[in-house]
Amino acid sequence: MQTTPKVVAIHDLSGFGRCSLTVAIPVLSAMGVQCCPLPTAWLSTHTGGFTGYTFLDMTDEMSGAADHWQSLGLQFEAVYSGFMGSEAQMAIVERMIGQFRAPGGVAVVDPVMGDHGARYATYTDGMCRAMARLCEKADVITPNLTEASFLLDRPYADMPGDPEGFLALARELSGGGARSVVLTGACSGPEDIGAACFDRETGKTELILTGRVPGEYHGTGDVFASVLTGALVRGRSLEQATRQAVDFVAVCAERSRVEGIPQREGVDFEPLLGLLTGR
Ligand code: PXL
């Protein structure tokens, strides 16, 4: 029998508006992966499309939790991080990669910082600089185009819009092949959407696309990175994992469109979790 792989998921816990841990836990569980959550902050809702949300920074708890886990000798097949609550948390995640990534395991950093050219409300310049440093310690990063522009300290307006440009950008973000990159939001035109990958194992780049669903939903990046992480720890190649993530986000977006789900509530993924089981 294959043992159940374990992933430490370091993201916020937002009570309403599917994203972060409320996505990562069910997605990884459905994929047959044990998700061990380490919340970076507790919010009443996520910060996109809501006002007046509460925000409890969990920085002080994180180091203590890491110390406890170390005393237990825990190791994880993946250390997977997303939305951060403070600048200091990036250094804690870096330490956790060193402490907890099992031999042959993977550190997936989703450098959650913003979208559509703008930073998320709670992010500062210092946090974005610290996130760029954390990405250097990752095995796989999953930026969108906005986050790519922050990581490279380049205007969003200068980000590419064509397949060759997306592929070149994915390669550039790898830091000379030091890490694999899955750049989300890449496309070949208005009809499709997906990701541009650079795989450091093969040195190859590839565009992985699907039909574009009209509309926009919050938290799709978190669904994407969670499926990708689950697939990687289940032994899939970067290309296979990206294909599974691209396809799953597309069916979730399509269902949400058909059901008329408000954008800020995130994608209606729960009834679709069965698509992830046993694959
Ligand atoms: O999906 C990214 C994300 C995660 N967590 C929180 C957010 C956002 C984006 O707005 O606000 C709390």
Side-chain angles (χ1 to χ4, degrees), residues 139-140 167 170-171 174 177-182 196-206 232 236-240 242:
D139 299 305
V140 182
L167 293 171
R171 186 179 289 278
S174 77
R179 64 199 84 97
S180 293
V181 178
V182 183
C197 304
F198 168 82
D199 187 343
R200 74 173 178 194
E201 308 298 327
T202 61
K204 288 195 183 132
T205 55
E206 187 148 6
L232 289 174
R236 306 281 187 246
S237 68
L238 190 76
E239 182 193 333
Q240 291 167 331
T242 304

Side-chain angles (χ1 to χ4, degrees), residues 146-272:
T146 300
E147 291 151 356
S149 83
F150 296 164
L151 291 176
L152 296 171
D153 202 12
R154 210 172 285 166
Y156 180 63
D158 292 354
M159 290 296 102
D162 58 275
E164 293 69 34
F166 293 129
L167 293 171
L169 184 60
R171 186 179 289 278
E172 184 178 0
L173 286 160
S174 77
R179 64 199 84 97
S180 293
V181 178
V182 183
L183 174 69
T184 61
C187 61
S188 75
E191 303 294 314
D192 57 35
I193 187 81
C197 304
F198 168 82
D199 187 343
R200 74 173 178 194
E201 308 298 327
T202 61
K204 288 195 183 132
T205 55
E206 187 148 6
L207 212 51
I208 298 186
L209 302 174
T210 188
R212 189 188 289 255
V213 176
E216 281 252 356
Y217 293 94
H218 196 88
T220 48
D222 302 333
V223 177
F224 183 94
S226 298
V227 175
L228 182 93
T229 302
L232 289 174
V233 299
R234 297 300 304 262
R236 306 281 187 246
S237 68
L238 190 76
E239 182 193 333
Q240 291 167 331
T242 304
R243 169 49 68 197
Q244 193 174 4
V246 165
D247 289 347
F248 187 68
V249 170
V251 287
C252 291
E254 174 59 12
R255 182 186 161 87
S256 305
R257 185 188 68 78
V258 170
E259 296 292 326
I261 304 296
Q263 176 181 346
R264 67 184 190 174
E265 293 187 17
V267 283
D268 195 35
F269 70 93
E270 293 89 348
L272 299 169

